[in-house]
Amino acid sequence: MKWSLRPYQKRFARAVTDAFDGKVNGTPFTAVLGTAATGAGKTIISAALMWYWRRLGARSLFLADSDELCDQSVKKLYSAAEIIADLEKAGSRASMKSDAVVGSIQTMQRPTRLERFRPDHFQYVIADEAHLSLADGWQRVLQHFRSGGARILGVTATPERGDKKSLMRFYEHLAAEISLTDLIAARHLSPIIVETVPLEIRINSKIGDGEMEDVAEELRQYYAAVIEAFERHAGDRKRVLWFHASVKASREFASMLMAREHSAAHVDGGSQDREELIRGFEMGRFQHLCNCQILTKGYDCPPIDCVVILRPYKSRTAYIQAAGRGTRLYCPHGCVEWCEHPDRKQNCLILDFLWEFETHDVMGPADLMTDVPEQRAALRETLRQGKPKNLLDTDQFVTGEREAHLLERLKRQAGKHGRRVDAMTFAAMMHTPDLLDYEPVAQWQARPVSAAQAGMLERAGVEVSTIRDRGMASRIMDVIIARRDRDAATVKQLMTLVKAGVPHSPDLTREEASKLIDALWKKS
């Protein structure tokens, strides 16, 4: 391959192949799901897998949701792994001898096109934007090839929790997850700064795709105040992407920006000069680009350093896709990884205006971090207070508060003789916030803890009765095994230190923890 994979991309690809090879649950899965936040490089991971499968002598199909995404995918497969993929869409027909095909789902679901391929023609199928894959057309294609023995991988940006459970009606296993938090913390994406602008915007219209024209009409009265707020908080931003409730609203708002001497443009699906406008924005010919629902999934413009979502989203996935347009790293010197050039993009600013929409359970910046109600509510309240403005810091602060509460509870048990720690306190001790919010999504995960799991967990010092199901047990075991492999402090050692009130880090080695405990015994 021309590009080397980042560590998290390697872990993702390995988890997928392990699931197909039967290394997860003892039985090979035929359909697995992988979620990865916008900017994680889903197509790059897909290219790596298709390259690997080709080496095994297998043919693979990459299914995309639009003509533009098909064209982009063909280019990325080649640039990442030198895969020359044939195209199956509209007037383009793939060779039956090709070992890699990119197909448009709109084309592939047509009976005359699907019948070109025998059910066993492809050994692997990747469904891009997998949150759509329960639709009838998607299922017609996926079930056609699954019946012939193909392994199906669905990839999507982080969906809502309910969506994951729905998707598990088709997919058998959630193989890998890459969160926005992980990517920002590892400096693979830009930090997100949230600026709360508490305009009293009140919308009475229903919130739904069919009512967006009414919402847009109500928003018009606030446009001048929104632009003034932008000038106060974000006037120095280089590329600003605006999402509007309607094409008419987007066009009118762009005109208002230009009337205030801002360089701006509007683009929609019917714009004859669409490609020229988008290219001009990317090259910095104007500061603002206004759109309505066309520059979401699949649109990459790394220089974007400010996103303003001036419309309500009830779908978390859709909100994440819109906000994610500004999270990619950018350096004018061509650096593709985080660098120290002073003129690189420092962060992505999200201006948050629509507070009154929260009564309609509309998405906001807190939803980029989590869809857990308790965590989301705490994040929203912290963001309202404006400290800290860095979204990752805010999320870590709220998570830290939850963990501190759990550890304080364990400390209060210092005089008791419990030798094991409950599952939630284990998550706090190990600083694994995803475990704090764990819920089973696959059927096998919801099964009772196995006898083998119970035995290992008891020996490790975890109270099995507090573990809800097999999936949670599996995650805890993964943490324990990974810690054992790097000789980190054991559960029992950390529990002793927490109960004694000794400051510590979950990254302590076993030897370091042992020395601290020995010092405790000497003092006593």
Side-chain angles (χ1 to χ4, degrees), residues 199-205 207 211-227 243-246 249-250 252-253 256 309-312 353-357:
L199 293 179
E200 292 188 5
I201 299 177
R202 300 180 183 276
I203 302 298
N204 298 313
S205 299
I207 308 297
E211 292 83 18
M212 283 296 102
E213 293 288 346
D214 295 335
V215 171
E217 189 62 29
E218 289 194 64
L219 278 169
R220 290 179 71 246
Q221 61 185 302
Y222 300 103
Y223 283 173
V226 166
I227 293 174
F243 289 91
H244 292 276
S246 72
S250 176
E252 182 177 348
F253 194 86
M256 290 184 66
I309 300 177
L310 204 59
R311 57 146 296 169
F353 291 101
L354 306 178
W355 290 108
E356 296 303 317
F357 277 138

Side-chain angles (χ1 to χ4, degrees), residues 151-199:
R151 299 284 192 261
I152 312 293
L153 167 64
V155 291
T156 182
T158 309
E160 298 179 50
R161 186 170 300 219
D163 289 344
K164 288 181 186 176
K165 291 184 177 180
S166 298
L167 287 167
M168 287 303 161
R169 296 202 302 267
F170 175 73
Y171 297 100
E172 303 162 326
H173 174 57
L174 181 58
E177 294 182 272
I178 305 170
S179 72
L180 183 67
T181 305
D182 294 337
L183 294 173
I184 295 175
R187 290 188 165 186
H188 294 310
L189 290 181
S190 286
I192 297 175
I193 306 298
V194 178
E195 185 65 56
T196 300
V197 184
L199 293 179

Side-chain angles (χ1 to χ4, degrees), residues 464-522:
V464 176
S465 64
T466 65
I467 300 175
R468 296 194 301 270
D469 51 52
R470 188 170 299 187
M472 178 180 276
S474 179
R475 288 204 179 188
I476 293 175
M477 288 169 61
D478 287 344
V479 174
I480 292 172
I481 292 170
R483 292 183 63 81
R484 184 183 299 167
D485 290 345
R486 65 175 190 269
D487 202 31
T490 67
V491 176
K492 293 178 180 178
Q493 285 179 320
L494 292 181
M495 187 165 59
T496 299
L497 294 172
V498 170
K499 284 187 175 184
V502 176
H504 73 282
S505 162
D507 296 325
L508 278 177
T509 66
R510 188 174 301 195
E511 182 180 353
E512 290 168 340
S514 181
K515 289 179 180 178
L516 288 173
I517 293 170
D518 287 344
L520 281 176
W521 287 117
K522 289 178 182 178

Side-chain angles (χ1 to χ4, degrees), residues 109-111 114 135-145:
Q109 64 183 283
R110 297 173 191 163
L114 189 57
D136 291 344
W138 277 90
Q139 282 295 298
R140 189 178 307 126
V141 177
L142 295 177
Q143 295 289 8
H144 174 78
F145 293 114

Side-chain angles (χ1 to χ4, degrees), residues 47 65-66 112 116 122 131 152 175 190 254-255 261 284 330 388 413 418:
D65 182 46
S66 69
T112 54
R116 289 190 68 219
F122 296 105
H131 54 279
I152 312 293
S190 286
S255 296
E261 299 185 351
Y330 173 71
Q413 298 173 351

Side-chain angles (χ1 to χ4, degrees), residues 393-427:
D393 291 344
T394 305
D395 183 60
Q396 291 175 344
F397 171 78
V398 171
T399 299
E401 292 282 295
R402 294 175 68 191
E403 292 177 346
H405 172 74
L406 289 166
L407 294 177
E408 184 61 32
R409 187 180 67 181
L410 178 60
K411 194 186 299 182
R412 290 197 298 269
Q413 298 173 351
K416 300 181 181 180
H417 298 290
R419 294 184 300 167
R420 297 191 179 93
V421 66
D422 66 83
M424 290 298 95
T425 308
F426 171 88

Side-chain angles (χ1 to χ4, degrees), residues 42-116:
K42 294 186 291 295
T43 310
I44 302 300
I45 297 170
S46 298
L49 287 167
M50 293 173 74
W51 178 85
Y52 171 70
W53 292 330
R54 184 175 63 181
R55 291 191 65 189
L56 298 179
R59 285 192 292 260
S60 56
L61 168 67
F62 185 93
L63 285 171
D65 182 46
S66 69
D67 287 351
E68 287 182 347
L69 289 177
C70 283
D71 294 337
Q72 288 179 22
S73 299
V74 168
K75 293 176 182 176
K76 283 190 177 181
L77 290 176
Y78 180 76
S79 63
E82 294 187 337
I83 293 174
I84 302 175
D86 273 12
L87 195 57
E88 183 74 18
K89 71 159 190 174
S92 301
R93 291 175 179 261
S95 166
M96 304 306 288
K97 296 181 179 180
S98 177
D99 53 22
V101 173
V102 172
S104 159
I105 188 63
Q106 288 81 4
T107 297
M108 290 292 295
Q109 64 183 283
R110 297 173 191 163
T112 54
R113 299 299 281 266
L114 189 57
E115 289 169 4
R116 289 190 68 219

